[in-house]
Amino acid sequence: RGHRLAVGSRSVIGQATQRGRTIYATDTSLDPMHRANEFLPGTRSELALPLLDGSRVIGILDVQSAEPKAFSSKDIETLEIMSSLIGVAIRNARLFEQIESSLTENRTLYDQAQNSLHEVERLNRQITGQAWQDFLSTSERDYGVTLVGGELQRAATWSPALTQAVRDGQPQVRQEGDSPVIAVPLDMRGQ
């Protein structure tokens, strides 16, 4: 229904909010600070306790009674402790929400960074592969060496063992004819 009491207004709640401390109207029929509430017409005493986040008022715990002078000093002390704990609980809930929000944002950023890194790695492999293909298709150089009788001989074609080593990505040791063959693929950036 839009019932509101402004900070600093002439009301128990308005003053407790403005001052940041407990305001107690012991008898509402005599206290000029009390403002009648149509929802609680039988109120005879009212106690407004600030809910604090540090020194900032974030709300009010308003306690009313149909009896004048209803709240003892022990009641007030107990309610002040309770309002303090409520303020801490609200602060912790807000901090938790902020942490959750930051965590979600950080996870999103991490995922984006991971995706970008994977894309860079993919492009790097693609470019490296293309560069090697271009080199191999346009070059007239020998691409391998073969050790025969203690001498290195250049080889323009790959042996079956080297072809298998490249295809499997694993070294190959085998006998080809009368000679043992060791073929080892060289891997550069996944190519």
Side-chain angles (χ1 to χ4, degrees):
R1 295 183 49 186
H3 179 75
R4 293 174 189 217
L5 297 170
V7 173
S9 65
R10 189 173 167 192
S11 66
V12 175
I13 292 174
Q15 289 302 301
T17 306
Q18 182 179 34
R19 297 177 188 179
R21 63 180 179 81
T22 300
I23 301 293
Y24 181 25
T26 57
D27 188 343
T28 58
S29 64
L30 303 175
D31 194 322
M33 194 62 65
H34 175 75
R35 184 167 175 190
N37 181 336
E38 64 181 283
F39 301 113
L40 300 166
T43 299
R44 288 296 309 273
S45 57
E46 181 178 12
L47 183 64
L49 306 111
L51 304 176
L52 301 172
D53 180 354
S55 60
R56 186 172 64 98
V57 177
I58 57 173
I60 295 291
L61 174 61
D62 187 53
V63 185
Q64 300 183 16
S65 173
E67 301 293 323
K69 298 181 183 178
F71 307 107
S72 68
S73 60
K74 189 160 187 86
D75 293 333
I76 294 170
E77 183 180 341
T78 301
L79 290 167
E80 285 177 332
I81 291 169
M82 192 167 76
S83 70
S84 176
L85 292 174
I86 292 170
V88 169
I90 291 170
R91 174 178 166 73
N92 288 344
R94 287 179 177 169
L95 288 173
F96 182 77
E97 285 177 5
Q98 289 173 355
I99 289 169
E100 283 289 309
S101 176
S102 293
L103 182 59
T104 299
E105 183 178 334
N106 287 343
R107 281 185 184 143
T108 300
L109 291 172
Y110 176 78
D111 290 344
Q112 289 172 351
Q114 284 294 99
N115 290 338
S116 295
L117 179 61
H118 290 311
E119 181 63 12
V120 166
E121 289 172 348
R122 185 191 69 74
L123 290 171
N124 195 6
R125 281 192 305 274
Q126 180 182 344
I127 291 168
T128 301
Q130 186 62 48
W132 277 110
Q133 284 179 354
D134 291 348
F135 173 77
L136 294 173
S137 66
T138 59
S139 177
E140 295 182 14
R141 298 183 184 162
D142 297 329
Y143 303 125
V145 291
T146 302
L147 181 61
V148 177
E151 287 185 27
L152 288 177
Q153 296 178 0
R154 293 179 181 209
T157 60
W158 286 357
S159 69
L162 187 52
T163 302
Q164 182 73 34
V166 169
R167 185 173 49 243
D168 295 347
Q170 299 292 325
Q172 299 290 315
V173 179
R174 63 170 71 169
Q175 191 76 21
E176 287 185 3
D178 294 335
S179 303
V181 174
I182 299 173
V184 179
L186 301 178
D187 186 302
M188 177 180 276
R189 295 186 181 133
Q191 296 293 318

